[in-house]
């Protein structure tokens, strides 16, 4: 059986983030990035999904280190703002 597309896995993992406490913490963010980087590349679908997750997370309050890591990921991997 083939593995599901990683952008779908990332999207499903994000549901737990937002239903848990509604905020994205550093460990959850790193988990999402690790899922995207399983093959060492963040493809366009993964960038789109991560960009949407980041936008949703930024609607709430983020810890400074989480905001900094999001900014780093956007710059390093070309994830849209």
């Amino acid at each position: 059986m083939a593995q599901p597309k990683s952008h779908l896995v990332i999207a499903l993992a994000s549901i737990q983030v937002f239903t848990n406490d509604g905020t994205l913490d550093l460990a959850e963010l790193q988990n999402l990035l690790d899922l995207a980087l399983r093959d060492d590349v963040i493809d366009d679908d993964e960038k789109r999904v991560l960009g949407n997750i980041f936008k949703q997370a930024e609607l709430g309050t983020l810890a400074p280190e989480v905001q900094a890591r999001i900014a780093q990921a956007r710059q390093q991997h070309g994830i849209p703002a």
Side-chain angles (χ1 to χ4, degrees):
M1 185 171 157
Q3 279 192 334
K5 297 282 188 183
S6 57
H7 70 281
L8 298 176
V9 174
I10 295 165
L12 289 172
S14 75
I15 293 170
Q16 184 175 354
V17 168
F18 294 111
T19 58
N20 178 18
D21 62 2
T23 61
L24 181 65
D25 67 33
L26 197 55
E28 292 165 334
L29 173 56
Q30 191 58 52
N31 180 56
L32 296 174
L33 292 171
D34 289 344
L35 290 170
L37 288 166
R38 288 188 300 192
D39 61 356
D40 299 321
V41 176
I42 298 181
D43 67 30
D44 289 341
D45 287 329
E46 293 164 335
K47 288 178 187 179
R48 178 181 44 79
V49 169
L50 287 169
N52 289 334
I53 292 166
F54 294 171
K55 285 178 194 174
Q56 181 66 34
E58 290 169 333
L59 293 175
T61 303
L62 291 175
E65 63 270 12
V66 174
Q67 186 60 53
R69 183 66 180 107
I70 287 173
Q72 179 188 34
R74 281 184 168 142
Q75 181 179 21
Q76 186 176 13
H77 301 289
I79 298 169

